[in-house]
Coordinates of all heavy atoms in Angstrom, one line a residue:
Q111 N -22.9 -1.3 -3.8 CA -22.3 -1.1 -5.1 C -23.1 -1.9 -6.1 O -23.2 -3.1 -6.0 CB -20.8 -1.4 -5.1 CG -20.2 -1.1 -6.5 CD -18.7 -1.6 -6.5 OE1 -18.1 -1.8 -5.5 NE2 -18.2 -1.7 -7.7
N112 N -23.7 -1.2 -7.1 CA -24.4 -1.9 -8.1 C -23.9 -1.8 -9.5 O -24.4 -2.3 -10.5 CB -25.9 -1.3 -8.2 CG -26.6 -1.6 -6.8 OD1 -26.5 -2.7 -6.3 ND2 -27.2 -0.5 -6.3
A113 N -22.7 -1.1 -9.7 CA -22.1 -1.0 -11.0 C -20.6 -0.7 -10.8 O -20.2 -0.4 -9.6 CB -22.7 0.2 -11.7
F114 N -19.8 -0.8 -11.8 CA -18.4 -0.4 -11.7 C -18.4 1.1 -11.5 O -19.2 1.9 -12.1 CB -17.7 -0.7 -13.0 CG -17.4 -2.2 -13.2 CD1 -18.1 -2.9 -14.2 CD2 -16.6 -2.9 -12.3 CE1 -17.9 -4.3 -14.3 CE2 -16.3 -4.2 -12.5 CZ -17.0 -4.9 -13.5
I115 N -17.5 1.6 -10.7 CA -17.4 3.0 -10.3 C -16.1 3.6 -10.9 O -15.0 3.0 -10.8 CB -17.3 3.1 -8.7 CG1 -18.6 2.5 -8.1 CG2 -17.0 4.5 -8.3 CD1 -18.5 2.3 -6.6
L116 N -16.3 4.7 -11.5 CA -15.1 5.5 -12.0 C -14.4 6.1 -10.8 O -15.0 6.7 -9.9 CB -15.5 6.5 -13.0 CG -16.3 6.0 -14.2 CD1 -16.7 7.2 -15.1 CD2 -15.5 5.0 -15.0
P117 N -13.0 6.0 -10.8 CA -12.3 6.7 -9.7 C -12.5 8.2 -9.8 O -12.5 8.8 -10.8 CB -10.8 6.3 -10.1 CG -10.9 5.2 -11.0 CD -12.2 5.3 -11.7
G118 N -12.6 8.8 -8.6 CA -12.8 10.2 -8.5 C -13.7 10.6 -7.3 O -13.8 9.9 -6.4
G119 N -14.3 11.8 -7.5 CA -15.2 12.3 -6.4 C -14.5 13.4 -5.7 O -13.8 14.3 -6.3
S120 N -14.6 13.4 -4.3 CA -14.0 14.5 -3.5 C -12.4 14.3 -3.6 O -11.9 13.3 -4.1 CB -14.4 14.3 -2.1 OG -13.8 13.1 -1.5
H121 N -11.7 15.3 -3.2 CA -10.3 15.2 -3.2 C -9.7 14.0 -2.5 O -8.9 13.3 -2.9 CB -9.6 16.5 -2.7 CG -9.8 17.7 -3.5 ND1 -9.1 17.9 -4.7 CD2 -10.6 18.8 -3.4 CE1 -9.5 19.0 -5.2 NE2 -10.4 19.6 -4.5
E122 N -10.3 13.8 -1.3 CA -9.9 12.7 -0.5 C -10.2 11.4 -1.2 O -9.3 10.5 -1.2 CB -10.6 12.7 0.9 CG -10.3 13.8 1.8 CD -11.3 13.9 2.9 OE1 -12.5 14.2 2.6 OE2 -11.0 13.6 4.0
A123 N -11.4 11.2 -1.7 CA -11.8 10.0 -2.3 C -10.9 9.7 -3.6 O -10.5 8.6 -3.8 CB -13.3 10.0 -2.7
A124 N -10.7 10.8 -4.4 CA -10.0 10.6 -5.6 C -8.5 10.2 -5.3 O -8.0 9.3 -5.9 CB -9.9 11.9 -6.4
F125 N -8.0 10.7 -4.2 CA -6.6 10.3 -3.8 C -6.6 9.0 -3.2 O -5.6 8.2 -3.4 CB -5.9 11.4 -2.9 CG -4.5 11.5 -3.3 CD1 -4.1 12.3 -4.3 CD2 -3.5 10.7 -2.6 CE1 -2.7 12.4 -4.7 CE2 -2.2 10.8 -3.0 CZ -1.8 11.6 -4.1
A126 N -7.6 8.5 -2.6 CA -7.7 7.2 -2.1 C -7.7 6.2 -3.3 O -7.1 5.1 -3.2 CB -9.0 7.0 -1.2

Side-chain angles (χ1 to χ4, degrees):
Q111 180 183 346
N112 298 315
F114 288 111
I115 297 168
L116 299 178
S120 70
H121 290 287
E122 295 166 291
F125 218 83

